[in-house]
């Protein structure tokens, strides 16, 4: 499964209905292409809420052909039959996760360090994420990842995800720098029309025109 396109990450929310509703809106035009994945990440939810939300998102994603990737939680990824797992530096061992995931996707956060990306690929990661490429409201203290990193990482032979402060206004520059996917939270899920904003991001990766409001 080769990732390319919009990599949407769910926002933190104590309200499951609101979170699922936003995800549904984002996925409205996903069947037209330009999507890489939807990552489930909700730091505001407890274990039972997370399990219910992961299952609900799987049911939204699968008919639309969008992989569901669970953030940080291997057991939840397996229990919800998600399509993959994403791990940060302190979230567990990549090689151990790879052994349990089978053919599911495994991604790794590599911040601004090419050596972390090399180690992640050697441990079985299917894609690597670099960021923050721009100042991020979600993680204001995150180390910045320079655009040059994406060119240097092309030799790894896996998809490269850019994350951190990405908006519709700056996403094209990141793609030109070599990112295969743009990971977006706020500029997507805080948009006045989530479906139209998602379509606009997805259209950066395909030749079809975006849907106008």
């Amino acid at each position: 499964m080769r990732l390319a396109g919009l990599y949407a990450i769910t926002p933190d929310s104590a309200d499951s209905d609101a979170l699922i509703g936003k995800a549904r809106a984002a996925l409205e035009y996903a069947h037209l292409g330009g999507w890489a994945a939807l990552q489930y990440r909700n730091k505001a939810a407890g274990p039972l809420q997370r399990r219910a939300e992961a299952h609900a998102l799987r049911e939204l994603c699968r008919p639309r052909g969008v992989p569901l990737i669970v953030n940080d939680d291997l057991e939840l990824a397996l229990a919800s039959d998600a399509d993959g797992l994403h791990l940060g530096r302190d979230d567990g061992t990549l090689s151990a996760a790879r052994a349990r995931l089978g053919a599911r996707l495994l991604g790794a956060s590599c911040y601004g360090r090419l050596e972390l990306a090399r180690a992640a690929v050697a441990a079985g990661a299917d894609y690597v994420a670099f960021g923050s490429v721009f100042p991020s409201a979600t993680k204001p203290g995150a180390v910045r990842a320079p655009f040059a990193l994406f060119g240097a990482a092309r030799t790894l032979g896996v998809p490269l995800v850019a994350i951190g402060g990405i908006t519709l206004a700056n996403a094209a520059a990141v793609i030109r720098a070599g990112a295969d996917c743009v990971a977006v939270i706020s500029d997507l899920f805080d948009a006045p029309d989530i479906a139209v904003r998602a379509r606009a991001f997805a259209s950066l990766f395909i030749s079809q025109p975006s849907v106008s409001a």
Side-chain angles (χ1 to χ4, degrees):
M1 193 181 293
R2 180 81 184 182
L3 296 186
L6 171 61
Y7 186 115
I9 302 177
T10 59
D12 291 338
S13 177
D15 185 336
S16 288
D17 289 341
L19 185 145
I20 299 302
K22 287 185 174 185
R24 182 180 291 107
L27 291 162
E28 182 172 344
Y29 300 112
H31 63 286
L32 298 177
W35 272 76
L38 175 71
Q39 183 188 118
Y40 172 57
R41 176 188 183 277
N42 188 3
K43 301 298 185 181
L48 292 179
Q49 181 181 344
R50 284 169 53 81
R51 181 178 288 262
E53 289 174 348
H55 279 85
L57 291 173
R58 182 199 63 199
E59 296 304 309
L60 283 177
C61 287
R62 196 146 292 172
R64 294 164 174 81
V66 175
L68 174 66
I69 295 175
V70 170
N71 178 261
D72 293 356
D73 192 331
L74 173 60
E75 300 305 327
L76 180 60
L78 294 172
S80 62
D81 193 27
D83 300 293
L85 171 72
H86 186 92
L87 293 179
R89 181 168 42 200
D90 302 318
D91 298 327
T93 305
L94 285 166
S95 56
R98 175 78 282 162
R100 295 189 62 196
L101 284 171
R104 292 179 175 89
L105 290 166
L106 177 61
S109 293
C110 299
Y111 312 99
R113 297 173 57 188
L114 185 59
E115 68 272 20
L116 286 180
R118 289 197 185 100
V121 172
D126 297 298
Y127 70 88
V128 294
F130 293 115
S132 182
V133 292
F134 298 104
S136 169
T138 303
K139 293 186 178 182
V143 174
R144 296 286 293 277
F147 276 20
L149 191 55
F150 293 94
R154 293 247 61 95
T155 58
L156 296 174
V158 298
L160 310 176
V161 179
I163 188 170
I166 295 175
T167 69
L168 192 58
N170 62 32
V174 184
I175 296 166
R176 288 195 298 270
D180 298 289
C181 311
V182 290
V184 188
I185 305 175
S186 299
D187 198 60
L188 172 58
F189 290 106
D190 291 342
D193 190 322
I194 294 171
V196 170
R197 183 61 56 86
R199 183 62 186 148
F201 273 111
S203 293
L204 296 173
F205 296 89
I206 56 180
S207 59
Q208 301 171 13
S210 63
V211 175
S212 59

